[in-house]
Amino acid sequence: MDPILFNSLFAALMISLFSLCGAVGFVLRDKILNKISMFLVAFSTGALLGGAFFHLLPEAAEKMDYIEINAYLLIGIALFYLLERILKWRHCHSEKDCNVHTFTYMSLIGDGIHNFIDGLVIVSAFCVNFEVGLATTVAIASHEIPQELGDFGVLIHGGFSKSKALFWNFVSALTAIVGVIIGYCLVKNIDNASLLLLPFAAGGFVYIAMSDLIPELHKEPGLRKSLYSFALLVLGLMFMFITKLIFE
């Protein structure tokens, strides 16, 4: 096997395993987990927005012009909206409507695209050299841990059981391996093949955060918890920004 493909697959698998860090939810009582789920949603909102504006879009901006980036960003937002409408997913306003909230499925799709792009980025980096590939893997892993914890909280808050949330979060993470395989084929034939997906995925992240997660945060009536949620949202943004600075 080509060393580039082997190193990329191994790195993607290791990053995918970080999705299992949501297993800490098993050791928490349901009452406690329900209390902190809103805070995890807040952190995940910041992480999604930070991932879009601090990582995906700046990466695309290095080799794409302003109009192209905005076009693919808007296409991402529009297609995620269209996907939601076509599949007739909708928000639940009471337990009689449905058992699982819309944003859980949208979050899994968005996270899957994000992980798929991670796979493309990883294999592209290893194509440069091993050191660049390793540094890229560390950079991606540094923001996967808190993001996966946040994603687990989003799924729990949306109505998934702990085991179902853990399983589907891991399945979503495995798209990084698919990204590596497809990316390996693309980089051998097409230059900068992954760039077009970057602003598209950013659009998906923005759509999920702004149309689904933030409205969920608005459902919290208490001022103190709302301030805590806001602080964690900002913390998610700051973390993504700091990782960008550290691994720039």
Side-chain angles (χ1 to χ4, degrees), residues 12-87:
L13 178 60
M14 291 299 100
I15 289 177
S16 297
L17 291 175
F18 280 124
S19 66
L20 299 178
C21 65
V24 297
F26 282 108
V27 303
L28 299 176
R29 295 180 180 179
D30 290 338
K31 185 176 181 181
I32 297 176
L33 190 59
N34 289 334
K35 286 183 178 180
I36 68 174
S37 65
M38 185 65 71
F39 300 141
L40 293 177
V41 169
F43 185 89
S44 182
T45 302
L48 285 173
L49 292 174
F53 290 102
F54 297 145
H55 292 269
L56 299 181
L57 292 177
E59 185 71 22
E62 293 184 2
K63 295 186 178 180
M64 297 177 66
D65 61 40
Y66 181 77
I67 298 299
E68 283 183 308
I69 292 174
N70 284 340
Y72 283 105
L73 175 67
L74 292 174
I75 288 173
I77 294 174
L79 286 182
F80 268 76
Y81 167 77
L82 183 62
L83 178 63
E84 188 177 33
R85 298 306 300 173
I86 289 177
L87 297 180

Side-chain angles (χ1 to χ4, degrees), residues 120-179:
L120 294 176
V121 173
I122 288 172
V123 72
S124 299
F126 275 109
C127 282
V128 177
N129 57 56
F130 179 80
E131 289 75 17
V132 173
L134 181 60
T136 300
T137 301
V138 172
I140 293 174
S142 68
H143 71 262
E144 279 298 315
I145 297 176
Q147 180 172 304
E148 293 299 344
L149 286 172
D151 289 341
F152 183 78
V154 168
L155 297 180
I156 292 295
H157 181 73
F160 278 31
S161 65
K162 293 178 182 179
S163 58
K164 187 176 180 181
L166 196 62
F167 172 76
W168 284 112
N169 210 31
F170 179 65
V171 170
S172 177
L174 289 177
T175 57
I177 296 177
V178 179

Side-chain angles (χ1 to χ4, degrees), residues 83-129:
L83 178 63
E84 188 177 33
R85 298 306 300 173
I86 289 177
L87 297 180
K88 297 181 180 180
W89 291 339
R90 55 190 172 82
H91 294 289
C92 305
H93 299 286
S94 69
E95 292 184 357
K96 294 181 180 180
D97 290 332
C98 60
N99 294 321
V100 180
H101 288 276
T102 301
F103 64 81
T104 55
Y105 297 107
M106 300 302 292
S107 179
L108 284 172
I109 293 173
D111 197 39
I113 294 175
H114 169 69
N115 292 320
F116 176 80
I117 293 175
D118 282 346
L120 294 176
V121 173
I122 288 172
V123 72
S124 299
F126 275 109
C127 282
V128 177
N129 57 56

